Amino acid sequence: MNWIIASLLMFVSSVALYLLVRKSNTLKTPQQLNNLAMFLIPVLVYITLTLRTPTNFTLKPLEYLIVLIQGIFFSYLGNKFSLKGIEYSPNPGYSLIISKSYVVFTAIASIFLFSAPLTIQSVIAIVLIILFSALITINKDKSKTTSNKLWLPYTMGAFFAWGFLALSSKYLLNAGVPILSRLILSMVVTTVLILGEILYKKVEWKNASKDQLITLLLIGIFGASFSYFMQVGFNVAPNVGYVNATNAASISLLTLLSAFFFKDELTLKKMVGIVGVTAGLLLLFL
């Protein structure tokens, strides 16, 4: 599988995943249960796949340590930082666009860490995706009159967490660690942390409705697809930044479908942003 196909499968999975999370939020499902579905269900899916695909879980001590760090700091805390940055920022779009700009960090870092290529055309494509994503995400939020100065530190925490997750994943792939091994081990760590949070905060889950449970199941399935194809993309792409840029570009289709399913406002500014992001994505794939 080439990196463009893997990235497109990740792209579609990402859009489906976040539409389902949006639906889950409308059903008043606690955020912790959404997070649990994103990690626990993929673990079960991946373990099922290992029954047909021999997978080696014997890693070197350093590789186990990296997987542990990925689960605790890059996945669990990265998600917490992202949510806090969005919650505390004067405008949620500010936090989103800064954290999504980690694609630039990973694209440049890959040159030095992995001798990855980065063409002028790809640089232009990545810049287009980031700039036009800003048009989509940054909106006037008149209902939000207060903010917390910690929004930027939290946002930068998410920025580096997502960036180091991509770079450390590429390192493990280059070291020969199987994709399923890495995903299962790191997601088990994250799942344990989320379960601990659910127990500590006494999150209500026993009375979940049928619609909530079905939505959580679908979140898990598309979460599994998203993470797997992202890793496949990291493995075969010339530069992991290309895969991350494709992921960031998924906001264009997500915005269109959110307007269709949830009646979100679709302004001229957002339409220009969608066209610009799409142009950047096409340029990246050429």
Side-chain angles (χ1 to χ4, degrees), residues 8-185:
L8 286 174
L9 290 170
M10 174 200 68
F11 179 102
V12 173
S13 299
S14 175
V15 172
L17 171 62
Y18 286 104
L19 285 174
L20 286 163
V21 169
R22 176 72 179 277
K23 179 182 178 181
S24 190
N25 289 336
T26 64
L27 295 172
K28 307 299 182 183
T29 305
Q31 185 62 48
Q32 290 87 352
L33 296 186
N34 291 334
N35 292 340
L36 182 64
M38 286 188 205
F39 290 95
L40 176 58
I41 294 174
V43 167
L44 299 178
V45 171
Y46 299 147
I47 289 175
T48 302
L49 292 177
T50 63
L51 298 178
R52 297 185 177 183
T53 305
T55 304
N56 181 21
F57 289 93
T58 303
L59 311 181
K60 297 176 182 178
L62 176 61
E63 294 166 350
Y64 279 124
L65 177 61
I66 292 173
V67 168
L68 182 63
I69 291 172
Q70 284 186 328
I72 297 174
F73 295 99
F74 303 157
S75 293
Y76 179 74
L77 287 181
N79 184 58
K80 299 287 284 187
F81 290 157
S82 177
L83 291 175
K84 287 292 185 181
I86 292 170
E87 177 186 351
Y88 289 160
S89 67
N91 187 310
Y94 297 162
S95 181
L96 281 170
I97 199 63
I98 291 173
S99 61
K100 282 183 175 293
S101 297
Y102 80 94
V103 303
V104 178
F105 166 55
T106 57
I108 295 173
S110 293
I111 299 173
F112 301 99
L113 294 176
F114 310 117
S115 300
L118 185 62
T119 65
I120 297 297
Q121 178 177 321
S122 298
V123 170
I124 295 172
I126 291 171
V127 170
L128 284 176
I129 289 171
I130 295 299
L131 290 180
F132 282 100
S133 291
L135 288 180
I136 298 173
T137 57
I138 299 177
N139 303 299
K140 293 181 180 179
D141 190 354
K142 296 180 181 179
S143 64
K144 192 161 188 178
T145 58
T146 61
S147 62
N148 188 311
K149 63 182 180 181
L150 290 176
W151 78 269
L152 186 56
Y154 276 121
T155 298
M156 293 309 298
F159 174 97
F160 285 110
W162 303 145
F164 284 124
L165 178 61
L167 295 172
S168 59
S169 295
K170 181 61 175 178
Y171 171 82
L172 292 174
L173 288 166
N174 286 352
V177 177
I179 290 175
L180 290 178
S181 299
R182 208 281 297 169
L183 287 174
I184 290 172
L185 291 173

Side-chain angles (χ1 to χ4, degrees), residues 5 10 44 99 150 153-154 174 220 227-228 234 245 253-254 256 269 272 279 284:
I5 293 176
M10 174 200 68
L44 299 178
S99 61
L150 290 176
Y154 276 121
N174 286 352
S227 296
Y228 180 78
F234 285 162
L253 181 57
L254 179 60
L256 281 175
K269 180 168 75 75
V272 171
L284 183 67

